[in-house]
Amino acid sequence: NPDAPLQIVEFADFECPFSREESLVVRELMLRFPEKIHFVYRDFPLEDIHPHALRAAEAANCAQDQNKFWPMHDKLFQNAQRLTDPDLKLYALEIGLNIAQFNQCLDSHKYAEEIKQDQADGLAAGVQGTPTFFVNGTRIPGAVPLGLWEQIISRAK
């Protein structure tokens, strides 16, 4: 809901175990409070420590071309230990993407510059690790427990 009282922007990394755990919390929040949250996912692959994170981010963006970002998001986090190119292409098949279109997108690095821009925006905003959230502009670094999210949401007008 773009008009929701809470604008939540998350900078995350598909290979980060903390981002993975928080992805489950975020999905729960989106299911329970769709009228109160406008959620935006931004890519922040930590390539120095997560060698497959950039490709996973590219795969998620390519899935968005076919309106399947969230199924790919979930699939990537569920399989964060297996993010090679053959794995990514298998996940695309499993979530029902047009595989030729997906492969062309992934192989061309269509979203590499957009991901680099997300990283640059994150760094400029003070992101130092993943996940990092911005709730109505206020930075909250690290994983946020469900109970704290519920308190934040209950205060939203």
Side-chain angles (χ1 to χ4, degrees), residues 14 62 66 69 75-76 83 89 92 108 112 120 131 136 146 152:
F14 285 110
C62 288
Q66 298 181 50
F69 173 83
K75 184 68 84 168
L76 294 171
L83 297 174
K89 292 176 180 187
S108 72
N136 290 346
L146 181 60
I152 292 168

Side-chain angles (χ1 to χ4, degrees), residues 59 63 66 68 72 75-76 86-99 102-103 106:
Q66 298 181 50
K68 296 258 182 149
M72 182 62 88
K75 184 68 84 168
L76 294 171
D87 295 321
L88 300 174
K89 292 176 180 187
L90 175 63
Y91 305 150
L93 279 172
E94 289 176 352
I95 65 169
L97 295 180
N98 173 313
I99 196 64
F102 176 83
N103 287 346
L106 188 67

Side-chain angles (χ1 to χ4, degrees), residues 6 145-156:
L6 279 180
L146 181 60
L148 182 54
W149 277 122
E150 289 170 339
Q151 289 176 26
I152 292 168
I153 291 167
S154 71
R155 292 185 196 137

Side-chain angles (χ1 to χ4, degrees), residues 62-74:
C62 288
Q64 177 56 35
D65 281 354
Q66 298 181 50
N67 298 313
K68 296 258 182 149
F69 173 83
W70 289 110
M72 182 62 88
H73 167 277
D74 295 349

Side-chain angles (χ1 to χ4, degrees), residues 125-144:
V127 174
Q128 297 177 344
T130 56
T132 296
F133 295 91
F134 291 85
V135 179
N136 290 346
T138 300
R139 184 170 55 90
I140 303 174
V144 179

Side-chain angles (χ1 to χ4, degrees), residues 8 10-14 23 26-27 30 39-44 53-78 91-92 95-97 102 111 114-115 118:
I8 301 174
E10 177 188 20
F11 286 85
D13 172 327
F14 285 110
S23 75
V26 165
R27 296 296 275 151
M30 290 170 52
F39 186 85
V40 176
Y41 182 94
R42 304 275 312 261
D43 294 298
F44 201 82
L54 176 60
R55 289 300 276 168
E58 288 181 286
N61 281 277
C62 288
Q64 177 56 35
D65 281 354
Q66 298 181 50
N67 298 313
K68 296 258 182 149
F69 173 83
W70 289 110
M72 182 62 88
H73 167 277
D74 295 349
K75 184 68 84 168
L76 294 171
F77 277 126
Q78 289 163 2
Y91 305 150
I95 65 169
L97 295 180
F102 176 83
Y111 288 102
E114 181 177 313
I115 293 164
D118 278 1

